[in-house]
């Protein structure tokens, strides 16, 4: 039984690490303590998350019912291969970011608050991924968001940072509130909040309409409810993932945060938005749900939004003068690509060409992971470069710092190749998967768009590499700054990037496996089956 | 359900107080509407809070104490209403006073019409020159 | 003969209308202090709604938060910043 | 009350629907407030109204009609501490849906927390820019 | 030691309020009530009470009861009827002004009692208080006299008499 | 007297309260000054507290009563900080 | 201008009436309905039902039962959101405190009038008593930790507004540190309570779950539902108690932070370096 407990224990146990930290921050003056404390907490999370992923990949979908309540009554964490994998990646990258923070914040006050918020961010991230309950997702999104707002505004005397934080926070609060309103509609009509239960009810709605007290009214109409809920929820999730019309906050917010946090925001937080979209469109309102036309329309809209944000991000990258802002626009571009990948599952594709369906989704998920590694790496490298260049974020001032630190430059190259999609790296294979999916599905113009986006973003990356490595400038290199710890971390991340590419046959088949676990009818059925088994297991023997 | 004489008496008194409260409340509200300025309206508000809220709350308390139909939590209700009533007796005048003083000192509301105003010089003395910031 | 049920629904409707007026005025009003007081009226109306919709728990949590803390916090904020929303 | 019936809805249903419509309009008005008003403080006020309206909507969804004109539906609180089976059954026949109430309890606290944090951020904006008007803030940043 | 006495006094009041508010006297209520009362009393003793001994003098309680009865059945009724008449009268006969009402009691609670009694009777509202000059400034809806001593006769004589007996 | 007769009497008092509330609301919305508005909200809410207690009797649901006390408490707090707002330079002073 | 605004408001109400008429006249069915959803029935049947001893919360209050037992995880993270908001506020206000400078001040001269102050002195213990009652009866009557805690927060708020923040900080000694300590106490209490049954289960080697309260069909342990004949509903009592402390301390902390004079903030912020 200990094995199953690790699924449930991970997120709640991290909460305790965070709860006690502000008091410790008031009592303990030694900064080193906090670095070690936070690293240990992160390590604990990483170990558990890895173990959970191992558990899921060997033993199938895991359900942990909190309080021992059968799922629709209580909350359950439901891990299939998708969220187990993403959870593992998240925890590992967060570990790297936490250790990096120890270098980054070595002489800064407010370290305890910083780590509390960072732990809050980690709790929110993993909680969002693990949860099997739509309302719990709302709560976890808020945990995630509020720590993100606070971290963006962490440099409180920097006007741009505070302004970015309030812009992000104000509209983020609206987005999550609207998601809550969407949930109200869902509950009013379908009478449940558990994702697996919802998936079941939506699939079989045609045969077994769920009776609800408002049947025949505006609130009880399943089509109205689905449309409203899907629209509001997707608006919230595209806000969180910064897809095109809602991308306006990202280029302000991500660069203004402390650099490790920028890495976490750009690499991990946007993933949660995409993950939630995928969960809503493939598990809850899955391919077999009764709202087929609605779902198709939403997916096509997502495809358009994905292409738009891909293009806009790539174009805006080229004109940036600020290294972190450049990377932030690159995030928008890549999220666009991921959305293009996951938007493939319209009913026509599914019916006519299931290969394209699997390829596109696998490519999207694969690219999500690749982007996480590459983007976290690049942001962390940019932190080193900025520190070496005396604190300026301008590409001109950085001019050629990388030349004196070959290991840092190496990491930079690895990250850029990963994002750009140079052949032995993971980014290449994931883009290839998305490309071939749309070729297969008979939409070659989308494939061309993928190539176009990559081509445009090439300019931006070349600019980045040129400015930081090849340009012959006169940077004020601060020789006193010791960079061995962060260099080790970025190199480790770089090796991870390389591994995602070199082991591509293995990883691709794993991705197909992942897609099979959440997006196919069989996968949805398994998801529901494990929920139902848990229910039966817990409810049997009640009336003894 | 046949209640005993004491209970019945409590309920009757309670009902009378509640109805009485309704009438006073209406009159107080009328006063709020008709009176010419803030300071005079304070008196109407007092009518509304003491006879319009305190008395019916006591009435509720008595009614609940005598009404067995309320079941298990009947005394909870009686006690709650009683405590609310007495807190109200303490809070309402203090609130009015604080509001009146603030309105006077910040000159947010004029004391007009008025017959006499003894307060003017005292406030001038206490606040010195900084009275003009309203 | 009035039924209590009708009274209950009547008060719900009145509270709804009241909240609508108060919300509109709160959003439109340029003087932020008045806007806060309008939003306090709106909160009071919502309190009636929660009460009549048989949610005493929510009323108990909503009153401190919306009638008490929101105005307090916003008053603190207005006092430290500025009172009028500029026109235009 | 028969003369007040419209189709199969009586006056009570009309009043309830009216209440729901006002709440919907409140949602719209407060969205306008958040997006269109320039003052950050006004945005915060509108944001609180937005989340409160969502909460009222949730509670209204969990409401159930009175069984008859004289016996109300009750809050989801059992009024005996050691019930028999019949007590529980009769309780479940009249009590409103407790789940939306629990969700709203959570949502209220979350809304409060976010609002508190935004207040501190606004204060910081004012310290740095000397204004809470978003147009001016954007202009000052240049 | 003195703090303990104060805490006992405050705790007693809190305990009574707690039990009345809970509306039952089961062991659970009594135990938690005692704990809450003890903690609250201990925490707020120095804030709330000056002289703990006053809680134990029963004649003060008797005076309080007498005062309550007299206040609710005579003073309040007179004042309410008067103000209601003014509200409903078509011409609204008001004659408002702010007058000075001196007082002679010592303790803060006595002042509070007088001020609250004055404010709770419609027709008179305490606008300001001058602790050094020992005077209340009262907004009076119908100013009959203006000299402070005569005003005192009209407005606060009774309240002051009882307040002194209860608190001083 | 039968309890139903008494309950009926209370029932007929309720619309009177409604009327009073509407009048208070008119004053609260109209102003003209801030203390006026607050005073009206204040009186409205105290009466509302009493009214909610009465409704609890009419509905025969005693557990609704704590709402009244909390409402009264917080409306008092609203009074106090409006007063403080008007009177002082900073809220903390 | 003002009149026009009222007219607009009333036309909005008229719009709502029209909307309602339209919705009603279309015959959208019975709204509201005297029926309730199936899931709700499950909650109502099992919240206090001694006849199904391994599927009940043993609390007559279904809302508190859902908040702290059926969906306890939500509430833990809701507490965390509130906690993070306060930490965020603390991070913004870091270094800005009111620690010194209390010697030369005439604290008595700040604040509102004598009457208000005296009333507050009397009020504070009463408020704490009443709100403690709301919190500690959370599993029996409407109310609970958050409700009680936020009502209790009126007391320090009133003292702060009526007496002045100097009085709170220098006379009553309610500093940031003490509030953070009290808050951490409450939060850790909540945390420990949520793991209590799991740890108990691990110790005696029985299956148990996080947030478990009463015994379940496949996890036979739980906390006692009643003590000495009075219901305490297992973990619910402890959750309410600790949440009461956490919330009251949290609000007090927020208001202490908000009431720090702006001069202090400007002193600290002037010329502060920031990172990149």
């Amino acid at each position: 039984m200990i094995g199953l407990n690790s699924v449930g224990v991970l997120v709640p146990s991290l909460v305790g690490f965070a709860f006690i930290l502000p008091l410790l921050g008031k009592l303990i003056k030694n900064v080193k303590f906090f670095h070690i404390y936070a690293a240990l907490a992160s390590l604990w999370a990483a170990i558990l998350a890895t173990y959970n992923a191992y558990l899921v990949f060997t033993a199938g979908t895991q359900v942990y019912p909190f309080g021992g309540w059968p799922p629709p009554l209580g909350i359950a964490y439901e891990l299939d291969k998708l969220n187990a994998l993403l959870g593992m990646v998240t925890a590992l990258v967060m570990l790297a970011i936490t250790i990096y923070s120890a270098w980054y914040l070595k002489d800064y006050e407010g370290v305890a608050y910083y780590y509390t918020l960072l732990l809050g961010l980690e709790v929110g991230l993993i909680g969002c991924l693990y949860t099997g309950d739509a309302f719990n997702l709302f709560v976890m999104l808020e945990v995630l968001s509020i720590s993100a707002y606070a971290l963006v505004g962490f440099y409180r005397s920097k006007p741009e940072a505070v302004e970015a934080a309030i812009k992000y926070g104000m509209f983020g609060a609206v987005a999550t509130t609207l998601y809550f309103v969407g949930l109200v509609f869902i509950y009013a009509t379908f009478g449940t909040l558990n994702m697996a239960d919802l998936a079941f009810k939506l699939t079989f709605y045609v045969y077994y309409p769920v009776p609800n007290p408002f049947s025949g009214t505006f609130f009880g109409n399943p089509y109205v409810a689905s449309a409203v809920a899907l629209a509001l929820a997707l608006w919230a999730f595209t806000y969180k993932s910064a897809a095109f019309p809602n991308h306006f906050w990202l280029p302000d917010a991500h660069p203004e945060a402390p650099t490790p946090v920028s890495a976490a925001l750009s690499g991990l937080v946007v993933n949660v938005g995409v993950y939630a979209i995928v969960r809503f469109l493939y598990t809850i309102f899955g391919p077999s749900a009764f709202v087929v036309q609605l779902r198709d329309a939403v997916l096509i809209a997502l495809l358009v939004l994905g292409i738009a944000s891909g293009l806009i991000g790539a174009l805006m990258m080229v004109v940036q003068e600020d290294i972190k802002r450049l990377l932030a626009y690159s995030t928008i571009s890549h999220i666009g690509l991921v959305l293009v990948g996951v938007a493939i599952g319209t009913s026509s594709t599914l019916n006519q060409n299931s290969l394209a369906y699997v390829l596109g989704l696998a490519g999207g998920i694969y690219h999500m992971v690749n982007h996480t590694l590459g983007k976290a790496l690049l942001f962390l490298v940019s932190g080193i470069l900025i520190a070496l260049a005396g604190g300026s974020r301008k590409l001109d001032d950085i001019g050629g710092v990388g030349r004196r630190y070959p290991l840092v430059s190496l990491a930079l190259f690895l990250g850029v190749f990963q994002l750009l999609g140079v052949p032995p790296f993971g980014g290449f294979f994931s883009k290839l998967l998305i490309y071939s999916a749309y070729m297969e599905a008979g939409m070659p113009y989308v494939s061309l768009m993928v190539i176009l986006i990559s081509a445009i973003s090439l300019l931006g990356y070349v600019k980045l590499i040129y400015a930081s490595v090849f340009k012959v400038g006169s940077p004020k290199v601060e020789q006193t700054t010791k960079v061995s710890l962060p260099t080790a971390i970025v190199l480790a991340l770089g090796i991870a990037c390389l591994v995602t590419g070199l082991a591509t046959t293995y990883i691709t088949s794993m991705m197909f496996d992942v897609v099979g676990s959440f997006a196919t009818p069989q996968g949805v059925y398994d998801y529901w089956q494990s929920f139902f088994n848990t229910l039966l297991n817990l409810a049997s023997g009640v009336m003894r | 359900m046949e209640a005993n004489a004491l209970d019945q008496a409590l309920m009757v008194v309670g009902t009378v107080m509640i109805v009485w409260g309704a009438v006073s409340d209406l009159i107080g509200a009328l006063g709020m509407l008709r009176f010419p300025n803030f300071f005079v309206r304070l008196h109407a508000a007092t009518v509304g809070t003491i006879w319009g809220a305190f008395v019916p709350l006591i009435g509720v308390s008595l009614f609940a104490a005598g009404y067995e139909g309320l079941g298990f939590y009947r005394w909870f209700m009686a006690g709650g209403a009683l405590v609310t009533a007495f807190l109200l007796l303490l809070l309402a005048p203090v609130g009015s006073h604080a509001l009146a003083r603030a309105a006077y000192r910040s000159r947010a509301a004029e004391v007009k019409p008025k017959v006499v105003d003894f307060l003017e010089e005292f406030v001038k003395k206490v606040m010195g020159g900084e009275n003009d910031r309203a | 003969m009035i039924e209590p049920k009708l009274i209950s629904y009547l008060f719900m409707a009145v509270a709804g209308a009241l909240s609508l007026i108060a919300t509109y005025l709160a959003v439109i009003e340029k003087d932020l202090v008045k806007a806060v007081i309008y939003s306090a009226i709106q909160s009071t109306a919502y309190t009636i709604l929660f009460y009549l919709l048989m949610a005493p728990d929510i009323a108990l949590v909503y009153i401190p938060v919306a009638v008490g803390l929101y105005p307090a916090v916003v008053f603190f904020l207005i006092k430290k910043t500025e009172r009028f929303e500029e026109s235009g | 009350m028969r003369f007040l019936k419209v189709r199969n809805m009586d006056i009570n249903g009309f009043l309830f629907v009216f209440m729901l419509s006002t709440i919907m309009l409140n949602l719209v008005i407060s969205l306008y407030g958040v997006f269109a008003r320039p003052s950050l403080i006004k945005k915060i006020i509108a944001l609180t109204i937005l989340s409160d309206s969502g909460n009222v909507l949730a509670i209204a969804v969990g409401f159930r009609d009175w069984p008859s004109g004289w016996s109300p539906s009750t809050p989801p609180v059992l009024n005996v501490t050691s019930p028999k089976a019949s007590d529980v059954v009769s309780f479940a026949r009249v009590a409103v849906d407790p789940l939306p109430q629990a969700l709203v309890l959570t949502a209220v606290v979350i809304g409060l927390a976010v609002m508190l944090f935004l207040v501190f951020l606004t204060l910081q904006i004012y310290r740095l820019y000397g204004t809470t008007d978003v147009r001016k803030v954007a202009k000052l940043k240049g | 030691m003195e703090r303990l006495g104060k805490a006992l006094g405050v705790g007693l009041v809190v305990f009574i309020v707690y039990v009345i508010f809970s509306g039952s006297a089961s062991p659970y209520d009594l135990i938690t009530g005692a704990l809450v009362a003890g903690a609250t009393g201990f925490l707020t003793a120095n804030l709330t009470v000056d002289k703990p001994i006053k809680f134990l003098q029963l004649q003060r309680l008797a005076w309080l009861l007498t005062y309550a009865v007299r206040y609710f059945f005579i003073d309040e009724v007179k004042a309410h009827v008067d103000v209601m008449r003014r509200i409903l009268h078509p011409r609204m006969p008001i004659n408002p002004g702010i007058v000075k009402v001196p007082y002679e009691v010592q303790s803060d609670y006595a002042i509070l009692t007088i001020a609250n009694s004055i404010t709770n009777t419609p027709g008179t509202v305490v606008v300001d208080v001058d602790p050094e000059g020992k005077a209340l400034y009262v907004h009076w809806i119908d100013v009959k006299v203006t000299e402070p001593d005569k005003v005192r006769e009209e407005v606060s004589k009774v309240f002051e008499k009882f307040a002194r007996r209860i608190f001083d | 007297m039968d309890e139903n007769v008494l309950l009926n009497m209370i029932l007929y008092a309720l619309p009177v309260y409604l009327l009073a509330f509407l009048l208070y609301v008119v004053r609260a919305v109209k102003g003209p000054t801030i203390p006026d508005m607050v005073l009206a909200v204040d009186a409205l809410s105290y009466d509302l507290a009493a009214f909610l207690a009465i409704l609890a009797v009419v509905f025969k649901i005693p557990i609704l009563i704590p709402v009244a006390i909390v409402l009264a408490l917080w409306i008092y707090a609203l009074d106090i900080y409006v007063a403080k707002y008007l009177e002082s330079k900073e809220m903390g002073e | 201008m003002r009149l026009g605004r009222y007219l607009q408001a009333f036309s909005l109400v008229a719009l709502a009436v029209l909307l309602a008429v339209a919705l009603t006249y279309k015959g959208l069915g019975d709204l509201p309905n005297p029926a309730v959803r199936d899931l709700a029935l499950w909650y109502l049947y099992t919240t206090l039902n001694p006849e199904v001893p391994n599927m009940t919360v043993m609390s007559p209050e279904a809302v508190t039962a859902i908040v702290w037992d059926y969906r306890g995880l939500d509430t833990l993270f809701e507490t965390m959101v509130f906690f993070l908001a306060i930490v965020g506020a603390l991070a913004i206000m870091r270094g800005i405190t009111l620690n010194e400078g209390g010697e030369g001040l005439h604290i008595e001269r700040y604040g509102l009038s004598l009457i208000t102050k005296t009333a507050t002195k009397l009020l504070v213990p009463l408020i704490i008593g009443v709100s403690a009652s709301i919190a500690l009866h959370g599993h029996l009557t409407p109310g609970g930790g958050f409700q009680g805690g936020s009502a209790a927060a009126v007391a320090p708020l009133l003292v702060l507004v009526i007496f002045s923040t100097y009085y709170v900080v220098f006379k009553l000694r309610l500093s940031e540190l003490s509030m953070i300590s009290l808050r951490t106490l409450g939060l850790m209490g909540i945390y420990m309570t949520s793991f209590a049954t799991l740890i108990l289960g691990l110790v005696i080697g029985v299956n148990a779950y996080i947030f478990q309260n009463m015994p379940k069909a496949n996890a036979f342990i739980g906390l006692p539902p009643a003590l000495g004949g009075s219901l305490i509903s297992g973990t619910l009592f402890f959750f309410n108690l600790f949440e009461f402390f956490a919330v009251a301390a949290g609000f007090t902390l927020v208001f202490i932070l908000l009431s720090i004079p702006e001069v202090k903030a400007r002193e600290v912020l002037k010329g502060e370096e920031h990172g990149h």
Side-chain angles (χ1 to χ4, degrees), chain G residues 13-24:
Chain G
V13 175
L15 182 64
V17 171
L18 281 178
L19 209 64
V21 168
L23 285 176
T24 315

Side-chain angles (χ1 to χ4, degrees), chain F residues 67-86:
Chain F
V67 178
I69 197 165
V70 174
L71 188 61
L73 269 181
W74 278 99
I75 285 297
Y76 170 67
L78 181 71
D79 271 9
I80 292 296
Y81 35 75
V82 172
K84 186 80 177 184
Y85 177 86
L86 291 172

Side-chain angles (χ1 to χ4, degrees), chain E residues 132-160:
Chain E
E132 279 114 49
K134 280 192 170 296
L136 299 168
Y137 293 90
V138 176
H139 187 272
W140 196 3
I141 201 168
D142 180 26
V143 180
K144 296 189 194 111
V145 285
T146 52
E147 293 92 64
D149 286 332
K150 286 199 181 139
V151 174
R152 184 180 175 191
E153 199 83 6
E154 286 273 332
V155 174
S156 72
K157 186 93 184 296
V158 189
F159 307 145
E160 204 176 325

Side-chain angles (χ1 to χ4, degrees), chain D residues 92-107:
Chain D
R93 205 169 286 145
V94 290
V96 302
D97 192 343
L99 183 60
Q101 301 197 8
L103 303 187
V104 167
L105 203 60
T106 309

Side-chain angles (χ1 to χ4, degrees), chain D residues 10 37 52-53 82 84 96 100 130:
Chain D
D10 55 1
R37 302 303 296 185
D52 292 351
S53 304
S82 48
K84 293 186 284 293
V96 302

